[in-house]
Amino acid sequence: MANRQLTFSIFRYNPQTPEIKPYMQEYRLEELPGMTIFVALNKIREEQDPSLMFDFVCRAAICGSCAMVINGRPRLACKTLTKDLPAKITLLPLPVFKLIGDLSVDTGTWFRHLSLKTEAWVHTSKEFDPKAPEERMDNETALKIYEAERCIECGCCIAGCATANIREDFLGAAGINRVARFMIDPRDERTPEQYYEVVGSEEGAFGCMGLMACDDNCPMELPLQIQLAYVRRKMLAQGLKLKVEDKIAL
Amino acid sequence: MSTYKTFATDVLIIGAGLAGERTAIEVAKHGLDCIILSLVPPRRSHSTAAQGGMQASLGNCAMGEGDNPDIHFEDTVKGSDWGCEQDVARLFVETVPIAVREMAHWGVPWNRVVAGKRTLPDGRVIEEKKEKEGLITARDFGGTAYWRTCYTSDGTGHTLQYTMDSIVIKMGITVHDRVEAITLIHDGEKCLGVVARSLRTGELLVYTAKSTVIATGGYGRLYGVSTNAVINEGSGMFLALNTGIVPLGNMEAVQFHPTGIVPAGILVTEGARGDGGYLLDKNHHRFMPDYEPKKKELASRDVVSRRMTQHMRAGYGVESEHGLHLWLDIRHLGEKHIYTNLREIANICKNFLGIDPAKELIPVRPTQHYSMGGVRTNIDGHAYGLKGLFAVGEAACWDLHGFNRLGGNSLAETIVSGMVVGKKVAEYTLGAALEYSSRLVDDFVKKDEQRIKDLISGKNGNENVYQVRAEMEQTLMNYVGIFRNGPDLEKAVARLQELHERAQKVGLRSSGKGANPELASALRLPGMVRLALCIAYGALKRTESRGSHFREDYPRRDDVNWLKRTLAYWPEGSELPKLEYEPVTITELPPGDRGYGEQTGREEANHG
């Protein structure tokens, strides 16, 4: 059987040459066995159009660099096989994030900002003692932290999120999951009140409209829905407590 | 005078992987100003891809009981085939337990000891002690006397990098991502910073610094098939080499990992074999015990890779449209283990092979994986030849690994070298002044501007950057692989010299405007071909076999003539590297047998 002829329709725009308006460009390519979008895009760049911009790093679905909208869905391009797609493949950059050019977007700045905003590091008053053995931790707890830590910050959940698309300051599933990771961690000394400051708002856990595209789109298959419910429960409890205290204060 | 943005800082770090970020944290702790440059956002660095773990002789788990830094030292030196600096190895093994615990303090969710009895895949029953419960546990890796590799399931590099980066963010350390250093600025004695190119806009930038640290990782992508990320093109190494003054150490020492999947070359972690996986041939026979009765699948990587290649050459490889391969079998480890502790492998198999490793065999073969060689530095990480230039991690050759690195020692090295060298960088920087003439900086920028203009106009020729690059990759694949010999290496050197010439004659086919990717590749190409030549030429001249460097025509280690390190320089205008040699530092363990059954291997190879 002859290989399929694929047609790629790819979003083109270089912010350095704003006089050329955004447009869709078509490329034709013969499909090869086991071909991924990573292989296809590199072939197009090397054989047809060396100006084409896109991002790959690990090409093994570990680093989160290559998320793009593939036939309408945000996915990791490196692990998307062309055989699972029709012969016409449309590629767009992720929405929400700042465009660098063509399919390349600036997820790095967005996620660094997220880390700063949620103070996504272990808050502890303890000093590290290089001479002491490590503090003990239950292995189940370690595994639970790892489960939330697995997020690769690819941006698929943000790009596919209705709230993130209309509300610029929304933390999104990745942000809420990141907060959950530190909430679970016994080394982090932040109190529920402090977390409430971070996620107990419309920008955080309560901004979600519950469409749950994040859960469907996550290439790491993280239980984003469960993490959201966990954070919401914690924040709701804290919120109710605050309310009661407010009343007492009145 | 050209106009360009200039950034001045105390310490400039090129690369935001684990080594670069740990160095940054250390210098920032000393109150110094620091900027990290990175091709990609730090959390996309190749460090994140390390699945397996980090060696530290904590001795908490049952199979690690009795372990200590002395034994880790011995394993590392044997693994290196006595090519490493023993004072560096000693410093490393003593520091790494602290590094693991500090990472725990910062947030890494290391897997912990769970008390109780359990049965290993080979039938042995072990019992984890109650008093050790909750301490950091370890898994088995190749070339180690005890279970010593600390891990977080299958994502050790990921959790280490995310935790490290969380501290970088917490400390407010400046990171300029999507910036590529393209030239080191120096006056022949001191390194003064870099000329860089923005990968967002394409503009040239200048960074001046009292100290510059190269932390750019390995050069895996010089080879056509590599487990490495696509950004691992050896850039920091050729920046140093291009100065003409700074040498690279042991570039011929290239590690091939036994289990890259076929054909994509994506890594299946050593944890798969450490946790009890087998290698099978086309008859589904487990062949490693035939060659290595003692260590079986867990001899050092160079040995396992050679045995696999040898076995395929003997006619036992599985034939496929992508050439010969062997099988990795982890089915007997069970679904629960595979889907939790080895989940990344399950995902890779599903995504890139369309198979379920709990039910099916994984096609694997040895694949380029790690660069033992790199920017030659002393034990403080200070580069030979230029003051104020340092190197850490895989980009460096302070020489912890000699001619073969043990699994689990690279993640460990990134962090330990960041701690140790970071402190030395801070000490140096606190006593240094930044003095340079703006004329000198201007001249360096002008040179790069001219290179870019020439590439765009096609003034020097119209060679296609991707074609020359592909030929370089193929040359290394064909002639500078696991088994090497004189005639092949001569062919490689001749072909690479020709490619080096063609690399100077590249002309762009696109406009080169903005963050143009073709221009980025064209700027890197000559340096990459030079690295390839350092590898091939160093391998040709080293007429012995040591660690990963195996010469079919010289199958024995030759301590009389070759217990020394290759130093490769690239004098300006040269067509070949200039090679010099220096002795290896031996402080504790005199050269001896590695204890992997290596000797027999050499005899067999000798007889074809």
Side-chain angles (χ1 to χ4, degrees):
Chain A
M1 202 177 75
N3 289 336
R4 281 198 304 175
Q5 287 299 317
L6 303 176
T7 304
F8 285 86
S9 178
I10 299 178
F11 175 87
R12 300 302 309 272
Y13 180 63
N14 184 347
Q16 301 301 306
T17 51
E19 65 279 9
I20 305 167
K21 298 287 170 223
Y23 61 99
M24 298 299 289
Q25 186 166 353
E26 288 204 349
Y27 303 92
R28 280 170 209 288
L29 197 66
E30 187 187 334
E31 187 174 41
L32 299 173
M35 184 179 253
T36 59
I37 301 287
F38 163 70
V39 173
L41 282 175
N42 276 290
K43 266 185 100 65
I44 291 171
R45 182 193 275 174
E46 291 179 15
E47 293 166 11
Q48 301 183 36
D49 189 343
S51 70
L52 187 60
M53 286 184 266
F54 49 78
D55 294 320
F56 288 97
V57 178
C58 77
R59 62 78 175 91
I62 295 167
C63 77
S65 301
C66 65
M68 55 183 73
V69 179
I70 301 171
N71 284 357
R73 274 191 65 177
R75 310 171 67 155
L76 292 183
C78 70
K79 71 163 188 175
T80 302
L81 294 160
T82 55
K83 78 170 168 58
D84 297 335
L85 299 169
K88 167 115 192 204
I89 298 168
T90 303
L91 303 179
L92 298 167
L94 286 190
V96 182
F97 302 98
K98 189 181 169 200
L99 183 75
I100 289 175
D102 302 338
L103 298 172
S104 171
V105 295
D106 191 353
T107 47
T109 302
W110 196 96
F111 276 100
R112 180 156 170 136
H113 178 68
L114 176 83
S115 277
L116 279 168
K117 202 158 134 187
T118 59
E119 300 191 7
W121 52 83
V122 169
H123 288 54
T124 175
S125 54
K126 289 179 192 151
E127 286 288 320
F128 174 65
D129 177 0
K131 292 195 188 88
E134 65 274 21
E135 277 190 34
R136 288 173 199 254
M137 182 187 277
D138 178 52
N139 194 50
E140 284 304 313
T141 308
L143 292 176
K144 257 192 217 149
I145 298 168
Y146 177 61
E147 192 55 33
E149 179 96 325
R150 286 174 57 237
C151 169
I152 56 173
E153 302 190 344
C154 63
C156 284
C157 63
I158 308 298
C161 171
T163 311
N165 273 277
I166 49 179
R167 184 192 274 274
E168 204 180 312
D169 51 10
F170 183 51
L171 297 178
I176 292 161
N177 176 70
R178 182 64 62 203
V179 172
R181 178 250 174 269
F182 290 97
M183 276 184 175
I184 300 164
D185 196 327
R187 292 167 294 199
D188 197 308
E189 293 164 357
R190 273 178 282 185
T191 61
E193 289 93 325
Q194 285 169 306
Y195 279 117
Y196 194 81
E197 289 296 311
V198 178
V199 281
S201 67
E202 296 262 289
E203 293 168 26
F206 299 113
C208 165
M209 298 189 281
L211 301 178
M212 287 301 151
C214 52
D215 213 279
D216 296 339
N217 287 331
C218 178
M220 301 304 285
E221 296 173 9
L222 293 176
L224 295 172
Q225 198 165 353
I226 293 167
Q227 300 288 32
L228 173 73
Y230 169 76
V231 174
R232 273 194 170 176
R233 260 199 322 275
K234 284 249 178 189
M235 290 303 98
L236 189 62
Q238 180 59 27
L240 289 173
K241 203 171 126 208
L242 284 177
K243 226 171 164 186
V244 172
E245 280 166 6
D246 282 352
K247 274 186 188 154
I248 294 165
L250 284 171
Chain B
M1 202 184 123
S2 308
T3 52
Y4 41 82
K5 254 187 237 165
T6 303
F7 301 87
T9 182
D10 293 324
V11 180
L12 178 70
I13 296 173
I14 313 169
L18 282 169
E21 286 207 325
R22 186 62 187 83
T23 309
I25 289 169
E26 198 61 32
V27 299
K29 271 197 210 162
H30 283 76
L32 291 162
D33 185 48
C34 157
I35 297 177
I36 308 179
L37 305 184
S38 179
L39 298 174
V40 297
R43 295 180 182 199
R44 315 270 189 241
S45 302
H46 187 53
S47 298
T48 60
Q51 300 158 18
M54 169 166 174
Q55 277 203 48
S57 57
L58 302 178
N60 292 328
C61 66
M63 298 298 280
E65 217 175 292
D67 197 10
N68 62 49
D70 293 339
I71 303 169
H72 189 186
F73 172 84
E74 222 176 274
D75 285 344
T76 301
V77 174
K78 282 181 186 168
S80 81
D81 217 352
W82 278 269
C84 74
E85 291 287 272
Q86 294 191 6
D87 52 352
V88 172
R90 173 52 70 182
L91 174 67
F92 164 76
V93 297
E94 299 291 345
T95 312
V96 73
I98 301 168
V100 165
R101 289 174 178 138
E102 186 176 54
M103 292 311 296
H105 179 75
W106 283 343
V108 170
W110 296 112
N111 281 45
R112 303 291 175 139
V113 174
V114 179
K117 276 190 190 165
R118 66 195 161 105
T119 310
L120 302 178
D122 62 5
R124 280 179 295 172
V125 178
I126 57 171
E127 182 168 9
E128 300 290 354
K129 286 188 178 147
K130 189 76 193 158
E131 72 248 33
K132 298 285 188 186
E133 186 148 63
L135 295 175
I136 296 169
T137 191
R139 59 163 49 133
D140 201 7
F141 253 41
T144 63
Y146 289 95
W147 290 21
R148 187 187 297 132
T149 306
C150 307
Y151 64 100
T152 53
S153 299
D154 55 2
T156 315
H158 173 90
T159 58
L160 285 170
Q161 179 85 52
Y162 272 59
T163 300
M164 196 71 89
D165 193 51
S166 79
I167 302 300
V168 165
I169 292 173
K170 179 187 167 190
M171 292 178 80
I173 293 169
T174 307
V175 180
H176 291 182
D177 69 358
R178 294 183 187 262
V179 174
E180 176 169 9
I182 58 172
T183 305
L184 290 182
I185 302 171
H186 67 93
D187 60 8
E189 280 175 25
K190 251 192 208 169
C191 183
L192 304 164
V194 303
V195 182
R197 177 170 175 265
S198 164
L199 300 178
R200 292 166 197 271
T201 63
E203 68 183 322
L204 291 185
L205 309 165
V206 165
Y207 291 83
T208 57
K210 293 175 192 164
S211 302
T212 303
V213 184
I214 293 173
T216 50
Y219 56 63
R221 286 286 157 174
L222 297 178
Y223 281 78
V225 183
S226 167
T227 64
N228 285 194
V230 298
I231 54 172
N232 291 24
E233 301 181 312
S235 59
M237 295 188 201
F238 63 70
L239 290 189
L241 187 70
N242 286 346
T243 62
I245 314 165
V246 180
L248 304 180
N250 281 347
M251 290 297 281
E252 63 270 33
V254 183
Q255 179 167 87
F256 288 77
H257 194 288
T259 55
I261 65 167
V262 180
I266 294 169
L267 176 73
V268 175
T269 170
E270 188 152 320
R273 282 168 293 129
D275 288 6
Y278 303 144
L279 290 168
L280 307 182
D281 64 18
K282 69 173 183 186
N283 302 321
H284 291 200
H285 169 63
R286 186 185 174 199
F287 60 92
M288 277 308 294
D290 303 344
Y291 296 103
E292 303 290 332
K294 202 165 139 217
K295 300 294 285 186
K296 304 182 183 76
E297 279 85 355
L298 288 173
S300 65
R301 287 177 179 171
D302 56 327
V303 174
V304 179
S305 290
R306 265 199 298 280
R307 296 306 200 182
M308 291 170 73
T309 309
Q310 192 182 342
H311 201 62
M312 286 190 279
R313 282 180 170 189
Y316 297 105
V318 183
E319 279 169 39
S320 80
E321 56 179 331
H322 307 292
L324 293 177
H325 66 77
L326 293 159
W327 299 114
L328 175 66
D329 185 5
I330 60 171
R331 295 172 300 181
H332 53 288
L333 303 184
E335 286 188 8
K336 182 166 178 258
H337 186 87
I338 292 171
Y339 297 147
T340 53
N341 281 17
L342 300 173
R343 176 166 46 191
E344 196 53 46
I345 299 178
N347 286 338
I348 285 167
C349 288
K350 187 177 77 185
N351 295 333
F352 301 99
L353 296 167
I355 63 164
D356 177 357
K359 298 191 180 78
E360 291 158 275
L361 299 173
I362 310 167
V364 294
R365 71 175 159 234
T367 305
Q368 193 288 338
H369 182 59
Y370 190 81
S371 322
M372 270 78 73
V375 179
R376 178 71 184 123
T377 73
N378 65 12
I379 193 169
D380 298 335
H382 217 145
Y384 282 22
L386 275 183
K387 273 188 215 148
L389 180 67
F390 296 80
V392 286
E394 191 174 349
C397 179
W398 65 340
D399 218 351
L400 172 64
H401 309 303
F403 278 77
N404 174 66
R405 171 178 70 75
L406 295 185
N409 262 358
S410 61
L411 275 182
E413 180 192 37
T414 58
I415 297 173
V416 168
S417 67
M419 292 164 79
V420 170
V421 176
K423 195 155 168 265
K424 297 294 175 184
V425 171
E427 283 167 12
Y428 171 87
T429 310
L430 287 165
L434 181 58
E435 291 160 359
Y436 66 93
S437 85
S438 57
R439 164 78 64 83
L440 179 80
V441 173
D442 221 40
D443 286 348
F444 272 94
V445 177
K446 272 192 190 130
K447 246 189 232 172
D448 281 324
E449 280 175 344
Q450 193 59 46
R451 276 173 77 198
I452 290 170
K453 269 185 207 147
D454 292 349
L455 285 166
I456 291 173
S457 70
K459 185 185 159 215
N460 296 328
N462 61 355
E463 287 285 353
N464 178 331
V465 58
Y466 299 111
Q467 242 163 38
V468 177
R469 187 189 157 130
E471 286 180 44
M472 170 198 72
E473 292 174 358
Q474 218 41 56
T475 306
L476 286 180
M477 290 290 287
N478 292 346
Y479 305 116
V480 200
I482 293 174
F483 286 103
R484 302 167 174 182
N485 62 64
D488 277 359
L489 290 170
E490 272 167 22
K491 229 179 273 173
V493 170
R495 194 158 295 181
L496 288 169
Q497 278 188 288
E498 192 188 302
L499 291 171
H500 184 239
E501 224 167 273
R502 286 172 60 194
Q504 326 285 329
K505 295 178 186 159
V506 166
L508 299 192
R509 286 170 301 148
S510 59
S511 71
K513 276 190 189 158
N516 180 285
E518 188 188 18
L519 177 60
S521 292
L523 285 169
R524 289 175 206 135
L525 185 67
M528 290 173 71
V529 181
R530 270 171 221 151
L531 295 184
L533 265 163
C534 289
I535 297 167
Y537 194 55
L540 173 65
K541 291 294 170 189
R542 184 174 284 273
T543 50
E544 66 152 355
S545 291
R546 185 180 296 273
S548 64
H549 170 71
F550 194 94
R551 286 284 299 256
E552 292 166 298
D553 40 0
Y554 298 93
R556 285 175 186 283
R557 196 176 80 202
D558 176 359
D559 290 330
V560 176
N561 296 301
W562 285 105
L563 190 57
K564 54 189 183 186
R565 182 173 303 106
T566 309
L567 299 177
Y569 294 83
W570 200 283
E572 198 172 336
S574 177
E575 289 168 358
L576 266 182
K578 190 179 87 188
L579 301 186
E580 289 178 10
Y581 296 91
E582 65 173 4
V584 173
T585 305
I586 294 178
T587 51
E588 300 180 44
L589 196 64
D593 182 28
R594 300 174 88 191
Y596 308 145
E598 179 79 301
Q599 213 51 42
T600 20
R602 287 189 177 149
E603 299 294 342
E604 282 163 31
N606 209 3
H607 298 123

